Amino acid sequence: QQPVQSPQAVILREGEDAVINCSSSKALYSVHWYRQKHGEAPVFLMILLKGGEQKGHEKISASFNEKKQQSSLYLTASQLSYSGTYFCGTGPDSNYQLIWGAGTKLIIKP
Amino acid sequence: GAGVSQSPSNKVTEKGKDVELRCDPISGHTALYWYRQSLGQGLEFLIYFQGNSAPDKSGLPSDRFSAERTGGSVSTLTIQRTQQEDSAVYLCASSLDSGGYDTQYFGPGTRLTVL
């Protein structure tokens, strides 16, 4: 079942902070975060694994709550370049697939 | 090194025609995925190749869709008798190993328009 992302969209001023959430109805083993700019391919941001391991960009932080089956992506002191749609992928499922959320659209205004 | 490449970048076709979309993954990546993304929507899984194993075709929406991966590298997604609802961006991704625990690297996509 598709993970639920919230909010669906958010508009911020440059320098403000944002939190994007990803909730699953299934037990999480990994959560992947990607950002997609308009007309471009999704770009990897971070992987969080059950047990606490994280791989990702230095300026991006995220949390992974196994008990609550959710992950949150924290964007601090947002820059114009942070604009885009953020997707979370959870899994893997029994077929080694990620299940992707519908995305959160982030707009940063100067 | 080179990333994932896809061709063509844009394809306009008439309803009923067949199309072939190509994906060239990152060298050495054993896992390859095809996704479909309709305008403003998320990623819809289509098919997954892992090494020499039988592909996971569970996401293919109909028997008009098929894909193959030759020599564990290049993959071709074929859509037969295209319909207008097939219009979307088709994204290919590859990962070093099973994508469930590994980073997926996406290609730029092929924008398919069926008239």
Side-chain angles (χ1 to χ4, degrees):
Chain A
Q1 195 162 357
Q2 186 181 43
V4 176
Q5 288 188 235
S6 62
Q8 288 184 320
V10 59
I11 300 174
L12 297 176
R13 291 285 178 191
E14 196 173 7
E16 292 180 336
D17 300 338
V19 180
I20 300 172
N21 302 301
C22 176
S23 296
S24 174
S25 60
K26 293 185 174 183
L28 294 178
Y29 295 92
S30 67
V31 180
H32 302 229
W33 287 98
Y34 285 76
R35 177 173 60 215
Q36 184 178 32
K37 293 185 177 289
H38 182 69
E40 299 180 9
V43 173
F44 166 75
L45 296 176
M46 176 167 283
I47 291 178
L48 301 101
L49 303 176
K50 185 178 180 179
E53 184 180 350
Q54 297 187 4
K55 295 190 292 183
H57 290 267
E58 293 177 1
K59 295 186 178 180
I60 302 286
S61 65
S63 64
F64 182 10
N65 188 319
E66 295 173 34
K67 191 174 181 180
K68 292 185 178 180
Q69 297 172 182
Q70 63 182 213
S71 174
S72 296
L73 187 70
Y74 304 98
L75 303 168
T76 57
S78 58
Q79 304 172 16
L80 295 176
S81 62
Y82 289 6
S83 292
T85 300
Y86 290 75
F87 291 99
C88 71
T90 61
D93 67 7
S94 57
N95 293 324
Y96 300 97
Q97 298 307 319
L98 293 180
I99 310 298
W100 297 91
T104 293
K105 188 169 185 177
L106 177 64
I107 298 173
I108 309 294
K109 294 189 172 182
Chain B
V4 177
S5 60
Q6 292 186 245
S7 60
S9 55
N10 280 285
K11 177 72 176 178
V12 180
T13 190
E14 293 178 347
K15 179 182 173 180
K17 295 282 180 73
D18 298 351
V19 295
E20 282 190 354
L21 312 180
R22 177 188 167 106
C23 171
D24 209 332
I26 293 173
S27 178
H29 280 195
T30 61
L32 186 148
Y33 300 78
W34 282 99
Y35 295 96
R36 179 168 68 176
Q37 188 175 33
S38 300
L39 188 63
Q41 300 299 308
L43 299 170
E44 177 189 1
F45 165 73
L46 296 177
I47 189 168
Y48 162 59
F49 296 90
Q50 172 59 51
N52 296 321
S53 302
D56 175 1
K57 306 179 183 179
S58 60
L60 295 178
S62 77
D63 58 8
R64 296 186 296 105
F65 288 73
S66 63
E68 62 178 20
R69 188 179 185 190
T70 54
S73 182
V74 171
S75 177
T76 303
L77 177 69
T78 301
I79 308 174
Q80 296 178 311
R81 305 181 301 281
T82 52
Q83 303 294 313
Q84 288 183 332
E85 61 262 28
D86 298 336
S87 295
V89 175
Y90 289 81
L91 291 165
C92 172
S94 71
S95 65
L96 194 59
D97 204 338
S98 168
Y101 294 105
D102 209 351
T103 304
Q104 293 187 25
Y105 295 88
F106 285 83
T110 293
R111 181 175 298 278
L112 175 67
T113 303
V114 182
L115 302 176

